[in-house]
Amino acid sequence: MAVIDLAGYIAGLKDQAVEHGFHVHDERHFVETYSMRQAWEVDLHPEAACGGPLDLHLAVELDPRVLLAFEDHIMELREAEEPEDRFKIPLIFTWSLPPLPSGPDLLVLATDLAGVGGPDLPIEVSALDTYASVTDPAERSLTIVARVEVSLSEVFMGTENLSDELEKCGVVSEFLLDRAPAWLED
């Protein structure tokens, strides 16, 4: 029996996202049968983006070795002793937009988003140019990714709270939604 309820944690994380103005559209849970690696994915978007153009994808990945090491650590603790905060799992937020005919300057966007996300929500900006055929112009797709670490100790004790990160995700989403109409113009 597991000492930590990660499925319950993901359900609570979805509730927190809803409290911060996001709509949850889909969720998936994957278990790799050979290694027992698990992943939870949640598709959501800000309330202001119903019908597009912005989507937000949340993913939590669990390496079974981290979970087993954490469980061993919990079993070694004396009563009323708190677990060490050295067991972490990644939580990845990925924003995506449709192809942008008038895409932004990536360096300027990365700099602007660094100011919006701050040090608690470091953000990566990347773009992909796709050519349908050699004679067609490039279609630029933009991807924005933020990664945070989730403490298994805090999840275990029920103190893990991602309200600040979700609040910043809302601000990043608003920032992107404000600028998307100019980027989508042909």
Side-chain angles (χ1 to χ4, degrees):
M1 183 164 145
V3 299
I4 193 167
D5 178 18
L6 281 171
Y9 172 73
I10 299 300
L13 186 58
K14 289 187 329 187
D15 289 343
Q16 281 185 15
V18 168
E19 290 170 9
H20 284 85
F22 291 97
H23 289 166
V24 175
H25 281 276
D26 195 13
E27 71 174 281
R28 294 167 296 285
H29 177 213
F30 301 100
V31 179
E32 188 178 274
T33 55
Y34 181 73
S35 70
M36 298 308 292
R37 180 177 293 276
Q38 296 183 59
W40 286 267
E41 296 180 355
V42 180
D43 294 329
L44 44 113
H45 62 77
E47 287 177 357
C50 276
L54 181 68
D55 289 314
L56 177 58
H57 179 82
L58 182 145
V60 176
E61 298 175 4
L62 176 65
D63 182 339
R65 293 173 295 186
V66 173
L67 183 59
L68 292 171
F70 178 72
E71 289 178 347
D72 288 345
H73 175 66
I74 293 297
M75 296 303 176
E76 294 170 354
L77 294 176
R78 292 186 290 269
E79 193 171 321
E81 188 177 6
E82 290 189 3
E84 294 178 21
D85 192 25
R86 60 184 165 104
F87 303 95
K88 312 272 185 183
I89 57 175
L91 171 61
I92 304 163
F93 299 98
T94 306
W95 290 265
S96 59
L97 290 158
L100 306 171
S102 302
D105 180 304
L106 294 182
L107 182 57
V108 171
L109 179 61
T111 305
D112 290 344
L113 287 174
V116 173
D120 296 331
L121 191 69
I123 296 175
E124 296 174 13
V125 175
S126 61
L128 176 67
D129 288 337
T130 306
Y131 296 88
S133 71
V134 198
T135 57
D136 291 338
E139 281 191 343
R140 175 161 279 191
S141 298
L142 188 63
T143 302
I144 295 105
V145 177
R147 290 177 175 79
V148 294
E149 300 249 309
V150 173
S151 166
L152 287 180
S153 299
E154 290 182 12
V155 171
F156 175 76
M157 295 185 304
T159 59
E160 177 70 41
N161 187 345
L162 294 170
S163 285
D164 291 343
E165 288 83 354
L166 288 167
E167 188 69 33
K168 288 191 182 211
C169 284
V171 174
V172 169
S173 297
E174 289 174 24
F175 179 92
L176 294 170
L177 284 172
D178 288 345
R179 285 149 184 83
W183 300 337
L184 290 167
E185 288 179 356
D186 199 11

